[in-house]
Amino acid sequence: MKIFSAIILFVLLSPGIVGAANQNDINQELQQGGRIHLPAGIYVLTDSIILQSNTILEGESGTVITIPDHAGWPAWKPLISGNRVQNVTIRNLEINANSNGNSETPHGAGFYNCMHVVDCDNLQVYNCTFHDSLGDGLRTKRSKNIKFYNNLVYRLGHEGFFGIESQYIECFNNRITTRTNSGLRIWNSANVSFHDNVIDAQLDAGGGDSGIQIEDSKGTVGNVEIYNNVLNRTWGKGIWLTAYDAGVSNIQKVLIHHNLFYEIGLSYNIPSTGGIVNDGFKGTQIYNNVFDGMRNNAFRNQAGGQGTIIKDNVFTNTIQHTAISQTGTGYAIADLVGANLSVTNNCFYNNENGDVYQTSSFNADFADPKTHQTSSGWTWTGSTWTCKFVKPMELGSLPLTTTLRLRLMAIIYRVYCIINSF
């Protein structure tokens, strides 16, 4: 293990020190390989940290990596960068990308991504906190064998995790509050598992859109499974499936199961809200989920949808879009393009305008799912939904969106991750 010398530590941790020595010393240590430990302190970068193969970059409670006000970096220069490296672990860091201090730069335009790796293999990022960025938390391109887990993410300017043309991705046990865009997203990627995450939204006009976004423009998306997640009060969609260009000819066969969707789509400014919104995907299987309190629709099919199977779910308390009147709003399932969905063995109850729109349902259960057992495998406890696959989460409270509360949440989450790592 490599730990900075006492002299370097004194320089790095002295109050007011913001010199370029921070990333230079870190990069020098990384070039030597092995485990590089950053003790508690605020590391103000004036250039990127450059990852090297076969290294572990780690911090501890109180290790914060940030950038100065008005940093003036060009687009696509991230705080932590990796290019053609392999076997890298990043853990126990807090990344504060100082979006307020760089407000002259737009959100979601490639500026100040927390971590960006290209053509990399075998990367793990865990027990980290990502916040106050104008870009992504972790962005990967043409990379494989990526694990992103036990992270806390909020107030970003793009995605929490964004995998582009990447393979063998697993994102799990993350706590994400969206701002600007999505929590977890892939684009033209395959062999992906998103599971056991809790995703909600910053509840204002900057609160983003979908909790999870799956995007296919090259026809390469496949073997994607989304399961055991809690999506709670997202601003736009819970899950957005979108295909265009060559993607519309693909049969993606995404599996979505054992997820809890609660009060999804609180936005007044996004038309196509809903639990799951499909814009061109085919062969999707949606089973053993709960959709409670969706705005607009629980499943809204706007394009494609051929071969979609919807079975053994609970659809309850769907209401119309909160602000925008549109076709099919207020139904649990709306098929706007006549894709001949397969809808069987679902429970429908108290959906404002009806259960299905322009499609048919077979062998449905119309009793209150909060008072009897359904085929979904979910049970209402009186305050939350539970099933044996999903960690219980109490519902009904607003997401923690204030800075003070989010900082407290970061401390609690870090302690939780440390305790559960033993």
Side-chain angles (χ1 to χ4, degrees):
M1 177 180 71
K2 295 176 174 62
I3 302 180
F4 287 171
S5 69
I7 294 175
I8 293 176
L9 283 181
F10 175 78
V11 172
L12 291 178
L13 304 185
S14 296
I17 295 296
V18 294
N22 281 344
Q23 74 274 350
N24 291 344
D25 286 322
I26 295 169
N27 287 335
Q28 184 178 359
E29 294 287 328
L30 283 167
Q31 288 172 4
Q32 298 176 35
R35 181 155 68 101
I36 293 83
H37 182 84
L38 305 182
I42 299 175
Y43 297 76
V44 182
L45 308 181
T46 57
D47 205 344
S48 300
I49 293 173
I50 308 299
L51 298 172
Q52 304 293 330
S53 294
N54 305 310
T55 54
I56 298 172
L57 178 62
E58 67 176 15
E60 59 185 56
S61 180
T63 302
V64 181
I65 292 175
T66 189
I67 57 174
D69 292 350
H70 314 298
W73 294 12
W76 307 115
K77 174 183 277 294
L79 278 67
I80 299 177
S81 177
N83 192 359
R84 298 184 182 277
V85 298
Q86 59 184 359
N87 305 323
V88 175
T89 295
I90 303 171
R91 64 192 183 198
N92 302 326
L93 297 177
E94 179 181 344
I95 313 293
N96 175 359
N98 190 16
S99 56
N100 286 345
N102 290 275
S103 59
E104 67 275 11
T105 307
H107 289 224
F111 291 92
Y112 310 118
N113 291 317
C114 297
M115 301 179 185
H116 188 182
V117 301
V118 181
D119 296 318
C120 294
D121 183 14
N122 193 20
L123 171 68
Q124 294 191 74
V125 177
Y126 64 93
N127 291 358
C128 293
T129 299
F130 300 84
H131 65 96
D132 290 273
S133 171
L134 293 164
D136 300 304
L138 171 61
R139 184 184 184 102
T140 73
K141 186 171 184 179
R142 296 191 304 271
S143 297
K144 60 183 179 179
N145 299 314
I146 309 297
K147 290 190 175 182
F148 183 80
Y149 61 99
N150 290 357
N151 300 296
L152 175 64
V153 180
Y154 60 93
R155 287 181 57 81
L156 298 190
H158 206 232
E159 333 295 345
F161 171 86
F162 190 8
I164 305 169
E165 298 175 5
S166 296
Q167 299 273 335
Y168 302 104
I169 296 167
E170 185 179 15
C171 298
F172 61 98
N173 288 344
N174 299 292
R175 177 67 173 85
I176 302 173
T177 297
T178 63
R179 181 177 76 161
T180 307
N181 215 42
S182 304
L184 302 173
R185 179 182 177 186
I186 61 165
W187 184 14
N188 297 329
S189 297
N191 305 306
V192 177
S193 175
F194 289 164
H195 65 92
D196 296 281
N197 302 285
V198 177
I199 303 176
D200 61 15
Q202 177 178 305
L203 294 180
D204 56 34
D209 192 343
S210 51
I212 296 173
Q213 181 176 344
I214 312 297
E215 185 174 4
D216 188 2
S217 65
K218 293 186 174 181
T220 54
V221 171
N223 191 25
V224 176
E225 188 172 12
I226 303 170
Y227 62 99
N228 297 5
N229 300 287
V230 175
L231 293 116
N232 175 41
R233 294 184 168 181
T234 61
W235 189 242
K237 309 152 187 73
I239 297 175
W240 186 18
L241 308 174
T242 176
Y244 51 94
D245 297 339
V248 300
S249 300
N250 190 18
I251 301 176
Q252 293 84 5
K253 295 183 179 179
V254 174
L255 304 181
I256 303 174
H257 63 92
H258 293 97
N259 302 284
L260 171 57
F261 298 80
Y262 183 74
E263 293 189 357
I264 298 298
L266 299 183
S267 165
Y268 55 82
N269 58 347
I270 299 173
S272 55
T273 61
I276 300 172
V277 175
N278 184 54
D279 282 310
F281 271 49
K282 302 181 183 70
T284 307
Q285 295 187 39
I286 302 166
Y287 56 95
N288 295 101
N289 303 283
V290 169
F291 300 84
D292 185 358
M294 302 301 97
R295 274 61 172 165
N296 206 24
N297 304 107
F299 179 76
R300 184 173 179 86
N301 191 50
Q302 301 187 142
Q306 291 78 13
T308 298
I309 296 172
I310 304 173
K311 64 179 182 179
D312 296 310
N313 302 283
V314 169
F315 297 99
T316 186
N317 301 320
T318 308
I319 64 173
Q320 298 183 72
H321 194 289
T322 55
I324 302 172
S325 178
Q326 56 194 292
T327 301
T329 189
Y331 289 82
I333 299 172
D335 182 8
L336 306 184
V337 294
N340 193 28
L341 310 175
S342 173
V343 182
T344 61
N345 299 324
N346 298 286
C347 177
F348 296 98
Y349 184 78
N350 196 38
N351 299 298
E352 183 175 14
N353 286 342
D355 300 326
V356 295
Y357 178 82
Q358 292 189 177
T359 192
S360 300
S361 170
F362 300 94
N363 198 30
D365 173 2
F366 298 109
D368 186 349
K370 294 185 177 180
T371 60
H372 83 291
Q373 193 64 45
T374 69
S375 63
S376 70
W378 290 82
T379 302
W380 177 252
T381 68
S383 60
T384 192
W385 291 96
T386 63
C387 80
K388 65 180 180 179
F389 302 108
V390 182
K391 297 174 184 176
M393 176 183 175
E394 291 299 312
L395 300 171
S397 61
L398 289 175
L400 302 175
T401 56
T402 68
T403 300
L404 178 61
R405 289 178 177 176
L406 282 167
R407 286 176 178 168
L408 176 62
M409 183 177 168
I411 294 170
I412 294 170
Y413 193 79
R414 180 71 63 85
V415 171
Y416 168 82
C417 290
I418 291 172
I419 290 172
N420 284 274
S421 66
F422 289 107

